[in-house]
């Protein structure tokens, strides 16, 4: 890479990757004048300012303390979290909501290792974040010094790349490279580890730096021949399906997707990570596929003859038993990461490229097919799809004991907060109900931990999303198990003026684990009950913890709802509070389950619409 190319790439990274609208000239001005005789820490802060960072989530500690001194005078806002895991998830929520790179900081040793879970989470879900960690002084590395951990080695499998900075003069270059790597190609987390003595060393600062990333050349422009082959295949299909993954959202390709859907007339399914990429209200949308997807979406994939996978990776939660997944389908697989092509399912037409460019070129190629008279008749296919959709709609039964239905709570929350709100979710039953019963009409409104399935994601992710989108209502939908993992960040929200809203779906249990124990372990509820129990297993009237009292202790407004008749009023009361975080403790029944369901490792042919029934279509009869 030449010097001019590296400077151009750095400017492009600073503009496109952090979402800062600026020219190369104004970027240079933002970096201030070149400086001499400053510390490595000052150089790092100036680098963050130059690349357009507006907020960092973190906690200081000994090894990173030199960095916190110049940060005190910086225009970059620092949000002091209560746990480093919260910092990492907040950076992820910020990135998912804004499309910019999220940034978190931690000190060496335990501070850095507390970032492991959010880094792995961001890696699995392709979220662009940069983590900056302090390290023990260079001379102490490898001596088992106080608070030393080989965070580079630990995170190598769960980061897109990571750096150990050994020379303070390299800091601007490494920061520029980290942001470039995090958000070009397939996005992902990048870690920059800086020893304490490097932060304290005297150095010079200049911006933009030269970037040197030999071998890193992500393919964004798809091969025209492959695109034309895909168009020919789609034009000749009688049962096509557009299988849309999170890569479409990462590429900002939702308008192109809508155009492709109109042009093909094909049904669209959006994965858990792609909810909002295509409007739920659109008649071509069949919903979410996978283990808890709609019957119509799951079955459409199974019966398709041409499957067009866009930014999706054929993960096990979508395919079920891989050997029986979509057995008669020819596969067009488009993804920016060549490692995903053919990894799980053979691609008949592989396309490596950015989803926005790929879909745009596919639209052009399909128009040429249609102009040549090759337009498929999908009337019979849609008649079949509509039959499945009408026969097996998403729904739920009200609890027979009169308890509050968790599905009803989430359905009403979505209706009242509306499609402009941002919804984050923990992991478990409430996550699936939030994916099923809230209507997503816009991109960037559904944030969750899909690949890693991280309990405790919702509250800090909501904090990061609200910080990035302060004028937008942000709801965290959490379970009582997830909520107890990271609710300390509510204190951060209260003190920092980040008024998120939290709906705790409190069934007194680890709900999804309990559901599996019900279905596969003969109702032997081993260690899934979260509230105190009597000797006969019935719950005691006392709640530990009392989430309303806990919310108030953390500086929030605490509300409780136990009756269906009160749901709307309580949600509206929470919506009216805009100057403080709000927590609603929804006391719901413990026996509600998530349906439809494909059991882990089972074939999608055997999807169940409800408990104690035969597979929807009879075993193997989809």
């Amino acid at each position: 890479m030449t010097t001019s190319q590296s400077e151009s790439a750095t400017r492009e990274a600073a503009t496109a990757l952090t979402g800062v609208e600026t020219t190369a000239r104004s970027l240079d001005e933002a970096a201030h004048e070149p400086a001499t005789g400053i510390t490595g820490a000052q150089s790092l802060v100036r680098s963050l300012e130059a690349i357009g960072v507006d907020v960092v989530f973190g906690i200081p500690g000994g090894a990173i303390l030199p960095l916190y001194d110049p940060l005190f005078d910086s225009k970059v806002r620092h949000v002091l979290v209560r746990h480093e895991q919260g910092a990492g998830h907040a950076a992820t929520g910020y990135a998912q909501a804004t499309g910019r790179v999220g940034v978190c900081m931690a000190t060496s040793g335990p501070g850095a290792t507390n970032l492991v879970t959010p880094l792995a989470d961001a890696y699995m879900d392709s979220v662009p974040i940069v983590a900056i960690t302090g390290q023990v002084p260079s001379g102490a590395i490898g001596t088992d010094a106080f608070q030393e951990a080989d965070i580079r080695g630990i995170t190598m499998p769960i980061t897109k790349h990571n750096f150990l900075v050994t020379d303070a003069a390299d800091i601007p270059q490494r920061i520029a490279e980290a942001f470039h790597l995090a958000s070009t190609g397939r996005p992902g987390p990048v870690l920059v580890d800086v020893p304490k003595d490097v932060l304290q060393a005297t150095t010079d600062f200049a911006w933009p730096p030269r970037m040197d990333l030999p071998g890193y050349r992500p393919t964004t422009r798809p091969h025209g021949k492959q695109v034309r082959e895909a168009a020919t295949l789609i034009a000749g299909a009688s049962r096509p399906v557009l299988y849309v993954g999170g890569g479409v959202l990462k590429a900002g390709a939702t308008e192109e997707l809508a155009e492709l859907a109109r042009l093909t007339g094909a049904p669209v399914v959006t994965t858990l990570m792609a909810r909002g990429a295509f409007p739920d209200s659109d008649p071509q949308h069949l919903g979410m596929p996978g283990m808890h997807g709609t019957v119509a979406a799951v079955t459409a994939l199974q019966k398709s003859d041409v499957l067009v996978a866009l930014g999706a990776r054929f993960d096990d939660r979508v395919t079920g038993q891989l050997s029986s997944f979509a057995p008669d389908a020819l596969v067009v697989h488009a993804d920016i990461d060549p490692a995903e092509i053919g990894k799980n399912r053979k691609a008949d037409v592989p396309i490596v490229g950015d989803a926005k460019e790929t879909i745009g070129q596919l639209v052009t190629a399909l128009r040429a097919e249609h102009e040549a008279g090759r337009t498929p008749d999908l009337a019979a296919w849609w008649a079949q799809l509509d039959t499945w959709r009408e026969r097996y709609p998403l729904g739920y039964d009200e609890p027979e004991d009169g308890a509050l239905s968790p599905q009803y709570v989430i359905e009403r929350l979505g209706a009242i907060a509306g499609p402009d709100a941002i919804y984050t979710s923990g992991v478990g039953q409430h996550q699936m109900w939030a994916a099923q019963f809230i209507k997503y009409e816009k991109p960037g409104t559904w944030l969750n931990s899909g690949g890693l399935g991280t309990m405790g994601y919702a509250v800090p992710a909501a904090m990061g999303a609200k910080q990035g989108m302060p004028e937008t209502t942000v709801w965290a939908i959490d379970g009582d198990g997830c909520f107890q993992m990271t609710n300390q960040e509510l204190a951060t929200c209260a003190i920092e003026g980040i008024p998120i809203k939290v709906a705790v779906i409190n069934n007194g249990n680890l709900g999804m684990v309990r559901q599996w124990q019900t279905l596969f372990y003969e109702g032997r509820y081993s260690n899934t009950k979260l509230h105190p129990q009597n000797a006969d297993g019935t719950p005691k009237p006392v709640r530990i913890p009392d989430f309303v009292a806990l919310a108030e202790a953390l500086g929030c407004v605490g509300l409780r709802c136990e009756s269906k008749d009160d749901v709307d009023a309580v949600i509206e009361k929470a919506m009216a509070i805009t100057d403080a975080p709000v927590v609603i403790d929804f006391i719901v029944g413990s026996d509600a389950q998530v349906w439809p369901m494909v059991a882990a490792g089972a074939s999608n042919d055997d999807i169940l619409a409800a408990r104690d029934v035969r597979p929807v279509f009879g075993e193997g009869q989809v």
Side-chain angles (χ1 to χ4, degrees), residues 200-211:
Q200 294 171 321
T202 300
T203 187
D204 299 334
F205 172 81
W207 192 271
R210 180 183 65 87
M211 289 206 301

Side-chain angles (χ1 to χ4, degrees), residues 269-483:
V269 301
T270 53
T271 67
L272 182 66
M273 292 305 299
R275 303 292 284 116
F278 194 75
D280 279 352
S281 59
D282 193 294
Q284 284 180 246
H285 194 207
L286 299 184
M288 181 177 72
M291 175 176 279
H292 295 295
T294 66
V295 171
V298 171
T299 311
L301 292 177
Q302 285 299 97
K303 293 292 287 180
S304 64
D305 64 348
V306 172
L307 194 53
V308 185
L310 303 168
R313 58 188 179 87
F314 292 90
D315 68 286
D316 62 297
R317 283 309 191 251
V318 168
T319 66
Q321 184 186 63
L322 188 60
S323 61
S324 65
F325 176 69
D328 300 322
L330 296 173
V331 172
V332 175
H333 191 180
D335 201 285
I336 198 164
D337 185 354
E340 290 295 346
I341 306 292
K343 184 179 80 175
N344 294 327
R345 172 65 181 258
K346 175 183 176 291
D348 298 280
V349 181
I351 304 174
V352 178
D354 174 78
K356 191 177 185 75
E357 289 202 39
T358 298
I359 299 172
Q361 290 192 25
L362 192 53
V363 166
T364 300
L366 273 167
R367 286 203 177 105
E369 290 286 331
H370 292 180
E371 289 168 4
R374 290 184 286 274
T375 304
D377 181 1
L378 304 183
W381 181 223
W382 271 109
Q384 179 64 78
L385 295 170
D386 287 338
T387 297
W388 290 329
R389 187 154 53 181
E390 292 164 12
R391 186 175 298 170
Y392 302 105
L394 279 175
Y396 55 90
D397 295 324
E398 294 287 347
E400 293 181 0
D401 61 0
L404 181 57
S405 163
Q407 298 98 320
Y408 177 79
V409 169
I410 292 171
E411 187 175 54
R412 293 306 303 154
L413 175 59
I416 293 170
D420 291 324
I422 292 174
Y423 303 89
T424 73
S425 171
V427 170
Q429 288 181 315
H430 62 281
Q431 176 191 28
M432 295 298 105
W433 289 323
Q436 291 176 334
F437 293 108
I438 292 176
K439 303 302 180 185
Y440 299 99
E441 300 294 320
K442 300 179 179 181
T445 54
W446 165 245
L447 317 181
N448 79 125
S449 172
L452 196 64
T454 307
M455 292 179 69
Y457 170 90
V459 169
M463 176 173 65
K466 183 66 174 176
Q467 175 62 36
M469 305 288 286
E471 302 305 316
T472 302
T473 299
V474 179
W475 276 94
I477 299 172
D478 227 351
D480 45 331
C482 285
F483 184 63

Side-chain angles (χ1 to χ4, degrees), residues 3 6-7 10 171-177 206-211:
T3 300
S6 69
E7 291 178 356
T10 303
I171 286 174
Q173 178 181 347
R174 294 294 176 251
I175 292 298
E177 289 171 347
W207 192 271
R210 180 183 65 87
M211 289 206 301

